[in-house]
Structure formats: structure tokens, C-alpha cells
């Protein structure tokens, strides 16, 4: 665990600045969001998702939402028009239109967020777009992410209510991130499943190869996940590693020891 000096209510207060109704939609997501220092928050009421955008790096760094029990199955097309980030000056937002060799990839796959096709443009907003080298994005990385997407679409049926955190590590402006991570947390039973993927080619296509601890994600990215939870709860949650995609890590009261073999 890292940087445990943020006040627990900081994120909830910041989210409230987006408007009362929107803050209500994001209250649950805010509880499990990473620390927010230097991050512009975007609470999307239609998607019930909270996004963090690093203003200095001009890139999205995380998204938090509840995994849906009714995955969207319709055809999704990005028409190339990306919605600007609300309440943030346009000169602080990245535009990838004329950047050679870079694809406009997504932090969270649109079909994982959508509950209604009317809000399709929200999923292609700049707070959900990250730059990825075309060769990487159209190769093994995409296959690994698609496999994780398919896994996520089964989670509610197999695990119950699950909160998802998708994030990017490294990268500034049009320079791609170095890693992507995902953390899934089943709060009712204290279960967790975490993945850390380096952006490279070639990649191992078995998603279980990327299972890790939350501690390891924090160490790699110098970030603080689950920053709003009490410190003891963070320690217990973050030093665990799932056995497989079926057997998730479970809280056991053991808090000592940062575990990272990455």
C-alpha cells in the first residue's frame, strides 16, 4: 500500500462538485476509487461510472463502476467523434486526431459500461480514451483485454455484486501508458481479483498469467488504490493474490506484508 495520507472524504466531496444528482450516482464508485491528488473527476450519471483524468499527464488514469448484470450485446461503432471532458478547459485535454502510429483506445470497453445505446457517445468521451501504439492495440494486447472483458461479463452471475476498477500506468499526452490494470472487488464477501498487464508485444494470451496483488499494482504505478477505505481494511485487501479467475483472494485478517512478485 502506498501514500495513505489522503483524507477519507476527499473524493466524495470532490465528486459532489459535479452536481448533486450526479454525485448520488457515483457515491458507491467513489468509495472504492484511487486517491485523487491532481485528478479531475468525471461522474457520468448515465453510465453510473466515475472517471479520473490526470490533468498534468492529459490522460485518463482510472475508471470505477459496478459490473452490470445485463451486458450490452448490440453493435457499437465509434464514429470518430470524441466527447470533451466536462468542466475542464479544452487546452488541458488531449486530442489524438493527428497523432501518427497511435490508436484511440479505451480505458473501459464501451459494451461494459453501456446500459442504453443512447449514451454511446459517453463511452467514447476523452475521459475514457487512451493512446495505444497501433501495433500493440491491434495485436496480443487486444486479445488479452477481450478475454478479460468476456470474463467480466460473467462475474455478476458467478460472484454477485462486483465493483470494477480499470486503470492505466505511465504515459503523458500522446505517449502511451506502459501498463494497464484491472481490479475486481466483491465487497459482500471480501473477495478480490487483480490483473496487471504490461503493454508490449508479444504477450502471453492466458489472462491468468497477469493475476497479481493490489500491492503490486500500487508499487508498479506509485498509486494508491482503495484510498477511501480504512487503513486496516486496505492492508488486508491489498496483500492478497487470487489463485485463479475462479478462486478469488479472500480477506483473512492478515494485514502485514506487502506482496509483489512482479
Amino acid at each position: 500500500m502506498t501514500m495513505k495520507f489522503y483524507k477519507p472524504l476527499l473524493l466524495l466531496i470532490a465528486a459532489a462538485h459535479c452536481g448533486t444528482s450526479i454525485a448520488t450516482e457515483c457515491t458507491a464508485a467513489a468509495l472504492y476509487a484511487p486517491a485523487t491528488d491532481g485528478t479531475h473527476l468525471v461522474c457520468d450519471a448515465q453510465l453510473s461510472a466515475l472517471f479520473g483524468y490526470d490533468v498534468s499527464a492529459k490522460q485518463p488514469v482510472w475508471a470505477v463502476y459496478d459490473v452490470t448484470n445485463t451486458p450490452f450485446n448490440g453493435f457499437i461503432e465509434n464514429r470518430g467523434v470524441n466527447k470533451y471532458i466536462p468542466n475542464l478547459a479544452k487546452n488541458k485535454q488531449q486530442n489524438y486526431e493527428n497523432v501518427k502510429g497511435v490508436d484511440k483506445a479505451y480505458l473501459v470497453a464501451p459494451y461494459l459500461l453501456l446500459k442504453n445505446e443512447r449514451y454511446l457517445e459517453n463511452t467514447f468521451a476523452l475521459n475514457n480514451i487512451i493512446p495505444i501504439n497501433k501495433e500493440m492495440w491491434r495485436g496480443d494486447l487486444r486479445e488479452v483485454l477481450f478475454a478479460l472483458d468476456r470474463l467480466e461479463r460473467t462475474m455478476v452471475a458467478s460472484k454477485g455484486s462486483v465493483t470494477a476498477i480499470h486503470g492505466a500506468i505511465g504515459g503523458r499526452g500522446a505517449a502511451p501508458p506502459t501498463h494497464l490494470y484491472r481490479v475486481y472487488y466483491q465487497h459482500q464477501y471480501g473477495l478480490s481479483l487483480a490483473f496487471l498487464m504490461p503493454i508490449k508485444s508479444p504477450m502471453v494470451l492466458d489472462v491468468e498469467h497477469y493475476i497479481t496483488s493490489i500491492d503490486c499494482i500500487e508499487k508498479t504505478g506509485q498509486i494508491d488504490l482503495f484510498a477511501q477505505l480504512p487503513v486496516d481494511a486496505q492492508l488486508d485487501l491489498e496483500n492478497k493474490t487470487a489463485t485463479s479467475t475462479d478462486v478469488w483472494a479472500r480477506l483473512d485478517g492478515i494485514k502485514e506484508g506487502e506482496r509483489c512478485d512482479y
Side-chain angles (χ1 to χ4, degrees), residues 8-30:
L9 293 180
L10 177 62
L11 185 57
L12 295 175
I13 293 171
H17 287 261
C18 298
T20 303
S21 61
I22 295 180
T24 300
E25 295 290 338
C26 287
T27 298

Side-chain angles (χ1 to χ4, degrees), residues 148 167 169 178-182 194-198 203 207 209-213 216-221 260 262:
L148 287 177
I169 294 172
T178 59
H179 296 74
L180 298 176
Y181 67 85
R182 295 193 189 184
F195 299 91
L196 179 62
M197 288 78 62
M203 293 181 67
V207 295
H209 177 79
Y210 304 102
I211 292 177
T212 188
S213 67
C216 201
I217 295 172
E218 291 189 326
K219 180 178 179 181
T220 302
C260 179
Y262 183 75

Side-chain angles (χ1 to χ4, degrees), residues 77-149:
E77 180 183 3
N78 180 1
R79 298 179 176 87
V81 178
N82 298 109
K83 186 177 178 181
Y84 279 106
I85 299 171
N87 303 314
L88 183 65
K90 290 184 179 181
N91 64 1
K92 294 182 178 179
Q93 304 186 39
Q94 188 56 241
N95 187 330
Y96 307 113
E97 297 298 334
N98 298 314
V99 180
K100 294 183 178 180
V102 167
D103 269 343
K104 293 185 291 184
Y106 39 70
L107 188 60
V108 184
Y111 49 71
L112 296 178
L113 290 170
L114 275 181
K115 299 175 183 176
N116 189 309
E117 193 172 3
R118 288 180 298 168
Y119 305 122
L120 179 61
E121 67 174 6
N122 295 38
T123 67
F124 291 108
L126 287 175
N127 51 268
N128 191 36
I129 297 296
I130 54 176
I132 298 290
N133 176 278
K134 286 184 177 180
E135 180 183 348
M136 303 291 184
W137 181 240
R138 302 178 188 188
D140 289 349
L141 175 62
R142 177 173 284 191
E143 295 304 311
V144 171
L145 295 179
F146 278 170
L148 287 177
D149 293 346

Side-chain angles (χ1 to χ4, degrees), residues 40-262:
H40 177 79
L41 302 179
V42 181
C43 177
D44 193 307
Q46 284 76 32
L47 303 178
S48 299
L50 184 64
F51 296 88
Y53 183 88
D54 188 319
V55 177
S56 175
K58 289 189 175 181
Q59 282 192 19
V61 284
W62 52 258
V64 183
Y65 60 96
D66 288 334
V67 176
T68 179
N69 61 352
T70 54
F72 185 80
N73 290 313
F75 176 72
I76 295 176
E77 180 183 3
N78 180 1
R79 298 179 176 87
V81 178
N82 298 109
K83 186 177 178 181
Y84 279 106
I85 299 171
N87 303 314
L88 183 65
K90 290 184 179 181
N91 64 1
K92 294 182 178 179
Q93 304 186 39
Q94 188 56 241
N95 187 330
Y96 307 113
E97 297 298 334
N98 298 314
V99 180
K100 294 183 178 180
V102 167
D103 269 343
K104 293 185 291 184
Y106 39 70
L107 188 60
V108 184
Y111 49 71
L112 296 178
L113 290 170
L114 275 181
K115 299 175 183 176
N116 189 309
E117 193 172 3
R118 288 180 298 168
Y119 305 122
L120 179 61
E121 67 174 6
N122 295 38
T123 67
F124 291 108
L126 287 175
N127 51 268
N128 191 36
I129 297 296
I130 54 176
I132 298 290
N133 176 278
K134 286 184 177 180
E135 180 183 348
M136 303 291 184
W137 181 240
R138 302 178 188 188
D140 289 349
L141 175 62
R142 177 173 284 191
E143 295 304 311
V144 171
L145 295 179
F146 278 170
L148 287 177
D149 293 346
R150 290 192 293 270
L151 174 66
E152 181 172 324
R153 290 164 74 92
T154 68
M155 284 182 180
V156 172
S158 63
K159 299 295 182 183
S161 178
V162 174
T163 296
I165 305 173
H166 290 218
I169 294 172
R172 295 185 67 85
T178 59
H179 296 74
L180 298 176
Y181 67 85
R182 295 193 189 184
V183 177
Y184 298 102
Y185 181 46
Q186 210 286 356
H187 22 86
Q188 183 178 2
Y189 300 110
L191 306 175
S192 64
L193 176 64
F195 299 91
L196 179 62
M197 288 78 62
I199 298 175
K200 65 179 185 179
S201 183
M203 293 181 67
V204 175
L205 297 182
D206 181 1
V207 295
E208 292 196 344
H209 177 79
Y210 304 102
I211 292 177
T212 188
S213 67
I214 298 169
D215 269 342
C216 201
I217 295 172
E218 291 189 326
K219 180 178 179 181
T220 302
Q222 292 299 295
I223 54 179
D224 184 16
L225 303 176
F226 294 94
Q228 315 309 312
L229 295 182
V231 172
D232 282 352
Q234 291 183 59
L235 289 169
D236 193 2
L237 172 64
E238 294 174 358
N239 66 7
K240 308 293 189 295
T241 302
T243 303
S244 67
T245 56
D246 293 321
V247 183
W248 293 21
R250 183 184 294 271
L251 298 180
D252 58 11
I254 299 175
K255 300 182 287 292
E256 66 272 5
E258 183 177 276
R259 301 178 185 178
C260 179
D261 299 323
Y262 183 75

